[in-house]
């Protein structure tokens, strides 16, 4: 089992940036994909993007390319989500999750989840 802990959320103004962190521990070698999801109030969970275990392959959903980017520091076992030009519609609870399948996107493929970190964008 992979244990995941998110951090870095907070209250920001429109146009601000945030970098979320996802610290992984436990059986990290089994996590061939670590991805970020978000869930806004009253909505389903949305896949944002993922990265493979050595950082050589990553993807971000088309609607967020140019604003959101995923990276990882394997020495620290941390996966980051850099978010720029945040807007009120980005307000959500942000989760990271781990899957054993490389390139996983579907929520049901992710077996380990963090507790989430809240991002609120408001003026």
């Amino acid at each position: 089992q992979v244990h995941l802990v998110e951090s870095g959320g907070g209250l920001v103004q429109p146009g601000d940036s945030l970098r979320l962190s996802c610290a992984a521990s436990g059986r990290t070698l089994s996590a061939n994909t670590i991805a970020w999801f978000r869930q806004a109030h009253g909505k389903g969970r949305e896949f944002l993007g993922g990265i493979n275990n050595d950082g050589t392959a990553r993807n971000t959903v088309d609607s967020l390319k140019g604003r959101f980017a995923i990276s990882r520091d394997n020495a620290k076992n941390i996966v980051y989500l850099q978010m720029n030009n945040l807007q009120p519609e980005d307000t959500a609870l942000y989760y990271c999750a781990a899957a054993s399948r490389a390139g996983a996107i579907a929520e049901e493929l992710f077996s380990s989840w963090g507790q989430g970190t809240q991002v609120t964008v408001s003026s």
Side-chain angles (χ1 to χ4, degrees), residues 41-61:
H41 183 68
K43 297 187 177 180
R45 202 170 287 178
E46 175 188 14
F47 174 84
L48 305 179
I51 190 166
N52 69 342
N53 52 8
D54 62 6
T56 57
R58 67 194 74 184
N59 65 311
T60 308
V61 295

Side-chain angles (χ1 to χ4, degrees), residues 66-111:
R67 290 201 304 127
F68 287 20
I70 296 175
S71 62
R72 69 186 298 158
D73 183 336
N74 279 345
K76 298 180 180 179
N77 277 334
I78 297 177
V79 173
Y80 300 102
L81 178 66
Q82 177 68 42
M83 306 185 294
N84 299 323
N85 191 23
L86 285 161
Q87 300 300 315
E89 54 267 32
D90 296 316
T91 295
L93 189 60
Y94 284 71
Y95 298 91
C96 62
S100 58
R101 182 179 297 185
I105 295 176
E107 184 177 341
E108 57 267 25
L109 295 176
F110 291 84
S111 55

